[in-house]
Amino acid sequence: SYVLTQPPSVSVAPGKTARITCGGNNVGSKSVHWYQQKPGQAPVLVIYHDSDRASGIPERFSGSNSGNTATLTISRVEAGDEADYSCQVWDGSSDHRVFGTGTKVTVL
Amino acid sequence: QVQLVESGGGVVQPGRSLRLSCAVSGFTFRSYAMHWVRQAPGKGLEWVAVISYDGSNKNHADPVKGRFTISRDNSKNTLYLEMNSLRTEDTAVYYCARDRHTPPDGVMDVWGKGTTVTVSS
Protein backbone atom coordinates (compact mmCIF):
# COMPACT_ATOMS: atom_id res chain seq x y z
CA SER A 1 0.00 0.00 0.00
CA TYR A 2 1.04 3.57 -0.62
CA VAL A 3 2.90 5.30 2.22
CA LEU A 4 3.28 9.00 2.98
CA THR A 5 6.00 9.98 5.43
CA GLN A 6 6.11 13.24 7.39
CA PRO A 7 8.53 14.48 10.06
CA PRO A 8 6.99 14.01 13.52
CA SER A 9 7.61 17.60 14.53
CA VAL A 10 8.65 21.01 13.25
CA SER A 11 9.48 23.98 15.47
CA VAL A 12 9.44 27.56 14.26
CA ALA A 13 9.72 31.02 15.78
CA PRO A 14 6.90 33.52 15.31
CA GLY A 15 7.25 35.47 12.09
CA LYS A 16 9.47 32.86 10.48
CA THR A 17 8.68 30.26 7.82
CA ALA A 18 7.69 26.64 8.53
CA ARG A 19 8.06 23.96 5.89
CA ILE A 20 6.38 20.59 6.37
CA THR A 21 7.33 17.80 4.01
CA CYS A 22 5.33 14.80 2.83
CA GLY A 23 7.36 12.09 1.17
CA GLY A 24 6.02 9.33 -1.05
CA ASN A 25 7.07 7.32 -4.07
CA ASN A 26 6.57 9.64 -7.06
CA VAL A 27 4.10 11.71 -5.02
CA GLY A 28 4.57 14.46 -7.62
CA SER A 29 2.34 12.46 -9.94
CA LYS A 30 -0.51 12.59 -7.43
CA SER A 31 -2.66 15.40 -6.10
CA VAL A 32 -1.78 16.23 -2.48
CA HIS A 33 -4.10 17.78 0.08
CA TRP A 34 -3.24 19.18 3.52
CA TYR A 35 -5.29 19.30 6.73
CA GLN A 36 -4.77 21.22 9.95
CA GLN A 37 -5.97 19.78 13.24
CA LYS A 38 -5.86 21.57 16.57
CA PRO A 39 -6.16 19.65 19.86
CA GLY A 40 -9.64 18.30 20.47
CA GLN A 41 -10.94 19.55 17.13
CA ALA A 42 -11.80 18.02 13.77
CA PRO A 43 -9.40 18.38 10.84
CA VAL A 44 -9.74 21.42 8.59
CA LEU A 45 -8.83 21.45 4.91
CA VAL A 46 -5.99 23.90 4.27
CA ILE A 47 -4.56 23.15 0.81
CA TYR A 48 -5.95 20.92 -1.96
CA HIS A 49 -4.66 19.82 -5.34
CA ASP A 50 -1.08 20.56 -4.27
CA SER A 51 -1.40 24.34 -4.03
CA ASP A 52 -5.01 25.58 -3.96
CA ARG A 53 -5.99 27.28 -0.71
CA ALA A 54 -9.26 26.22 0.86
CA SER A 55 -11.89 28.80 1.63
CA GLY A 56 -10.92 31.12 4.49
CA ILE A 57 -7.29 30.01 4.62
CA PRO A 58 -4.77 32.87 4.78
CA GLU A 59 -2.36 33.48 1.91
CA ARG A 60 0.44 32.66 4.33
CA PHE A 61 -0.32 29.00 3.62
CA SER A 62 0.99 27.57 0.35
CA GLY A 63 1.80 24.19 -1.12
CA SER A 64 4.01 22.58 -3.74
CA ASN A 65 4.58 19.08 -5.03
CA SER A 66 7.33 17.59 -7.16
CA GLY A 67 9.23 14.36 -7.45
CA ASN A 68 9.02 12.39 -4.22
CA THR A 69 8.16 15.29 -1.91
CA ALA A 70 5.19 17.58 -1.34
CA THR A 71 5.63 20.60 0.91
CA LEU A 72 3.30 22.76 2.95
CA THR A 73 4.79 26.18 3.66
CA ILE A 74 3.52 28.51 6.36
CA SER A 75 4.97 32.02 6.05
CA ARG A 76 5.04 34.59 8.85
CA VAL A 77 4.06 31.94 11.36
CA GLU A 78 1.64 32.95 14.13
CA ALA A 79 0.90 31.33 17.46
CA GLY A 80 -2.49 30.25 16.11
CA ASP A 81 -0.79 28.08 13.48
CA GLU A 82 0.35 25.65 16.16
CA ALA A 83 -1.38 22.38 15.23
CA ASP A 84 -0.95 18.96 13.65
CA TYR A 85 -0.73 18.93 9.86
CA SER A 86 -1.42 15.88 7.69
CA CYS A 87 -1.01 15.35 3.98
CA GLN A 88 -3.33 13.08 1.99
CA VAL A 89 -3.57 11.58 -1.48
CA TRP A 90 -5.88 9.36 -3.49
CA ASP A 91 -3.97 6.20 -4.39
CA GLY A 92 -5.44 5.27 -7.75
CA SER A 93 -3.98 1.77 -7.80
CA SER A 94 -5.98 0.71 -4.74
CA ASP A 95 -8.68 3.38 -4.93
CA HIS A 96 -7.83 4.10 -1.30
CA ARG A 97 -7.27 7.47 0.30
CA VAL A 98 -4.01 7.67 2.24
CA PHE A 99 -2.99 10.05 5.01
CA GLY A 100 0.54 10.96 5.96
CA THR A 101 1.92 10.21 9.39
CA GLY A 102 1.29 13.77 10.57
CA THR A 103 3.52 16.62 11.75
CA LYS A 104 3.14 18.61 14.94
CA VAL A 105 4.06 22.26 14.38
CA THR A 106 5.23 24.05 17.51
CA VAL A 107 5.54 27.82 17.59
CA LEU A 108 8.40 28.74 19.89
CA GLN B 1 -24.88 26.07 7.23
CA VAL B 2 -23.15 22.87 6.21
CA GLN B 3 -23.10 20.47 9.14
CA LEU B 4 -22.11 16.85 9.78
CA VAL B 5 -23.03 15.33 13.14
CA GLU B 6 -21.77 11.88 14.11
CA SER B 7 -23.40 9.68 16.73
CA GLY B 8 -23.46 6.09 17.91
CA GLY B 9 -20.07 5.84 19.55
CA GLY B 10 -19.52 4.25 22.92
CA VAL B 11 -17.74 1.54 24.86
CA VAL B 12 -18.07 -1.96 23.44
CA GLN B 13 -16.44 -5.31 24.14
CA PRO B 14 -14.12 -6.95 21.62
CA GLY B 15 -16.00 -9.03 19.08
CA ARG B 16 -19.19 -7.02 19.41
CA SER B 17 -20.82 -4.67 16.90
CA LEU B 18 -21.65 -0.98 16.70
CA ARG B 19 -23.31 1.27 14.11
CA LEU B 20 -22.23 4.85 13.67
CA SER B 21 -24.40 7.50 12.03
CA CYS B 22 -23.59 10.84 10.44
CA ALA B 23 -26.52 13.22 10.02
CA VAL B 24 -26.00 15.81 7.30
CA SER B 25 -27.59 19.21 6.73
CA GLY B 26 -26.94 22.38 4.75
CA PHE B 27 -26.10 20.79 1.40
CA THR B 28 -27.52 18.31 -1.12
CA PHE B 29 -26.32 15.09 0.51
CA ARG B 30 -27.34 12.84 -2.39
CA SER B 31 -24.89 14.64 -4.71
CA TYR B 32 -21.69 13.96 -2.78
CA ALA B 33 -19.45 11.01 -2.01
CA MET B 34 -18.76 10.60 1.70
CA HIS B 35 -15.94 9.21 3.82
CA TRP B 36 -15.27 7.82 7.28
CA VAL B 37 -11.89 8.64 8.80
CA ARG B 38 -10.65 7.60 12.23
CA GLN B 39 -7.97 8.68 14.66
CA ALA B 40 -6.67 6.41 17.38
CA PRO B 41 -5.58 8.08 20.64
CA GLY B 42 -2.36 10.00 20.08
CA LYS B 43 -2.11 8.82 16.47
CA GLY B 44 -2.61 10.28 13.00
CA LEU B 45 -5.59 10.23 10.72
CA GLU B 46 -6.54 6.94 9.07
CA TRP B 47 -8.95 6.71 6.16
CA VAL B 48 -11.60 4.01 6.74
CA ALA B 49 -14.09 3.95 3.87
CA VAL B 50 -15.76 5.88 1.05
CA ILE B 51 -19.17 5.60 -0.60
CA SER B 52 -20.33 7.15 -3.86
CA TYR B 53 -23.14 9.70 -4.01
CA ASP B 54 -25.76 7.05 -4.79
CA GLY B 55 -24.32 4.22 -2.71
CA SER B 56 -23.47 2.08 -5.73
CA ASN B 57 -19.72 2.11 -5.12
CA LYS B 58 -17.95 1.50 -1.83
CA ASN B 59 -14.35 0.98 -0.82
CA HIS B 60 -12.91 0.07 2.55
CA ALA B 61 -9.39 0.25 3.97
CA ASP B 62 -7.61 -3.06 4.37
CA PRO B 63 -7.66 -3.09 8.23
CA VAL B 64 -11.46 -2.97 8.26
CA LYS B 65 -12.36 -4.80 5.06
CA GLY B 66 -14.79 -7.62 5.74
CA ARG B 67 -15.66 -6.24 9.21
CA PHE B 68 -16.91 -2.69 8.54
CA THR B 69 -19.50 -1.61 5.98
CA ILE B 70 -20.22 1.93 4.85
CA SER B 71 -23.74 2.77 3.67
CA ARG B 72 -26.05 5.73 3.22
CA ASP B 73 -29.73 6.64 3.16
CA ASN B 74 -30.18 9.65 0.90
CA SER B 75 -33.84 9.97 1.92
CA LYS B 76 -32.69 10.55 5.50
CA ASN B 77 -29.54 12.56 4.71
CA THR B 78 -27.58 10.08 6.79
CA LEU B 79 -24.31 8.18 6.39
CA TYR B 80 -23.61 4.99 8.33
CA LEU B 81 -20.71 2.79 9.36
CA GLU B 82 -21.60 -0.71 10.49
CA MET B 83 -18.73 -2.12 12.55
CA ASN B 84 -18.62 -5.83 13.34
CA SER B 85 -16.06 -8.05 15.06
CA LEU B 86 -14.58 -5.03 16.78
CA ARG B 87 -10.99 -5.17 18.01
CA THR B 88 -9.14 -3.13 20.58
CA GLU B 89 -7.18 -1.50 17.74
CA ASP B 90 -10.45 -0.06 16.40
CA THR B 91 -10.54 2.30 19.38
CA ALA B 92 -10.58 5.79 17.88
CA VAL B 93 -12.49 8.96 17.20
CA TYR B 94 -14.48 8.38 14.03
CA TYR B 95 -15.14 11.32 11.71
CA CYS B 96 -17.41 11.55 8.70
CA ALA B 97 -16.28 13.87 5.92
CA ARG B 98 -17.64 15.11 2.60
CA ASP B 99 -15.78 14.71 -0.66
CA ARG B 100 -15.43 18.24 -2.03
CA HIS B 101 -16.38 17.75 -5.65
CA THR B 102 -18.82 15.92 -7.85
CA PRO B 103 -17.42 13.70 -9.33
CA PRO B 104 -15.26 13.10 -6.26
CA ASP B 105 -11.68 14.37 -6.30
CA GLY B 106 -10.52 12.86 -3.02
CA VAL B 107 -10.56 16.17 -1.12
CA MET B 108 -12.39 16.11 2.22
CA ASP B 109 -13.66 19.65 2.64
CA VAL B 110 -16.21 19.35 5.44
CA TRP B 111 -15.81 17.27 8.60
CA GLY B 112 -17.97 16.39 11.55
CA LYS B 113 -16.74 16.74 15.13
CA GLY B 114 -16.39 12.99 15.54
CA THR B 115 -17.73 10.26 17.78
CA THR B 116 -15.58 8.15 20.10
CA VAL B 117 -15.48 4.37 19.92
CA THR B 118 -13.72 2.47 22.69
CA VAL B 119 -13.26 -1.26 22.34
CA SER B 120 -12.37 -2.79 25.68
CA SER B 121 -13.24 -5.75 27.84
Side-chain angles (χ1 to χ4, degrees), chain B residues 3-7 21-25 76-79 96:
Chain B
Q3 199 169 10
L4 309 178
V5 179
E6 302 92 339
S7 61
S21 300
C22 171
V24 163
S25 60
K76 295 183 178 179
N77 285 352
T78 303
L79 176 73
C96 59

Side-chain angles (χ1 to χ4, degrees), chain A residues 25-101:
Chain A
N25 184 30
N26 198 24
V27 72
S29 67
K30 303 181 185 301
S31 191
V32 177
H33 322 302
W34 291 91
Y35 302 87
Q36 176 194 69
Q37 187 179 25
K38 296 183 178 179
Q41 297 185 19
V44 171
L45 177 66
V46 176
I47 295 287
Y48 62 98
H49 294 327
D50 297 338
S51 59
D52 291 335
R53 269 186 309 278
S55 176
I57 300 301
E59 291 184 6
R60 301 184 295 103
F61 289 81
S62 61
S64 62
N65 185 19
S66 179
N68 293 318
T69 305
T71 303
L72 173 69
T73 301
I74 311 173
S75 303
R76 302 180 300 284
V77 166
E78 302 175 356
D81 299 331
E82 190 163 279
D84 293 327
Y85 292 84
S86 298
C87 56
Q88 178 246 319
V89 300
W90 186 347
D91 178 25
S93 63
S94 64
D95 198 26
H96 288 182
R97 283 57 169 179
V98 179
F99 283 95
T101 48

Side-chain angles (χ1 to χ4, degrees), chain B:
Chain B
Q1 73 277 23
V2 175
Q3 199 169 10
L4 309 178
V5 179
E6 302 92 339
S7 61
V11 179
V12 61
Q13 293 179 327
R16 304 300 289 265
S17 299
L18 207 59
R19 188 177 82 158
L20 305 184
S21 300
C22 171
V24 163
S25 60
F27 67 96
T28 306
F29 178 64
R30 64 179 181 272
S31 296
Y32 291 86
M34 298 291 295
H35 301 266
W36 285 102
V37 176
R38 69 183 179 181
Q39 187 170 35
K43 302 296 185 182
L45 300 171
E46 180 185 21
W47 174 78
V48 173
V50 62
I51 187 167
S52 60
Y53 71 100
D54 61 355
S56 62
N57 288 300
K58 308 175 185 182
N59 203 347
H60 299 79
D62 291 344
V64 307
K65 194 169 293 185
R67 300 187 299 122
F68 290 13
T69 302
I70 189 171
S71 64
R72 65 192 296 160
D73 186 337
N74 286 345
S75 69
K76 295 183 178 179
N77 285 352
T78 303
L79 176 73
Y80 301 101
L81 185 67
E82 186 74 38
M83 304 186 295
N84 299 318
S85 303
L86 282 161
R87 305 168 180 168
T88 55
E89 55 264 36
D90 296 319
T91 294
V93 176
Y94 285 74
Y95 298 98
C96 59
R98 184 182 78 171
D99 203 291
R100 185 188 72 97
H101 194 262
T102 300
D105 62 0
V107 182
M108 302 171 204
D109 70 333
V110 182
W111 295 66
K113 295 186 185 303
T115 187
T116 300
V117 173
T118 302
V119 184
S120 173
S121 54

